[in-house]
Amino acid sequence: QVQLAESGGGLFQAGGSLRLSCAASRIIFSIHDMGWYRQAPGKQRELVAVITSGGTTNYADSVKGRFTISRDNAKKLLYLQMNSLKSEDTGVYYCNAKNPLREYWGQGTQVTVSS
């Protein structure tokens, strides 16, 4: 069974930085498009950033210039570097893996940004 395990969440100060990680197992990591999504309290889950199997990246407008998504195919790891944190970045961050047939989700990690 495919597993995606997020880590790196916690309580952070506005203006600070953190890096989220997602460890994938039982998956051919390199062929999947990978993404980070987040869900704030009372809101729908939204796309934060994606990186394709070929390395192309795309970001939500709200995080452009502040967040960087990257991947290490050899280690089956996905990262999200988050800088210049804002209170509106608060939410549960989910790792997503997608191929043409299906997609997978992690359990999520809570990120809380206090101002």
Side-chain angles (χ1 to χ4, degrees):
Q1 185 175 352
V2 173
Q3 291 185 337
L4 300 174
E6 302 94 338
S7 61
L11 177 63
F12 303 89
Q13 294 280 344
S17 298
L18 71 112
R19 188 176 78 164
L20 299 180
S21 299
C22 170
S25 58
R26 302 187 183 94
I27 188 174
I28 305 175
F29 185 80
S30 60
I31 68 170
H32 285 74
D33 294 342
M34 301 296 298
W36 288 99
Y37 291 71
R38 69 185 177 192
Q39 187 165 18
K43 295 187 177 181
Q44 290 187 330
R45 192 174 298 187
E46 63 175 358
L47 173 69
V48 175
V50 295
I51 182 167
T52 68
S53 58
T56 301
T57 59
N58 193 26
Y59 297 90
D61 288 342
S62 59
V63 307
K64 280 181 182 177
R66 300 189 298 121
F67 292 8
T68 302
I69 189 171
S70 61
R71 63 192 295 164
D72 185 332
N73 288 340
K75 296 181 178 179
K76 296 186 177 182
L77 288 169
L78 177 71
Y79 301 105
L80 184 68
Q81 179 67 41
M82 304 167 62
N83 299 328
S84 302
L85 291 169
K86 302 177 180 180
S87 57
E88 50 262 45
D89 295 322
T90 294
V92 179
Y93 283 71
Y94 297 92
C95 177
N96 173 272
K98 189 177 298 183
N99 66 50
L101 296 178
R102 62 178 298 178
E103 65 180 341
Y104 307 94
W105 292 93
Q107 293 297 310
T109 184
Q110 175 71 45
V111 172
T112 302
V113 181
S114 66
S115 55

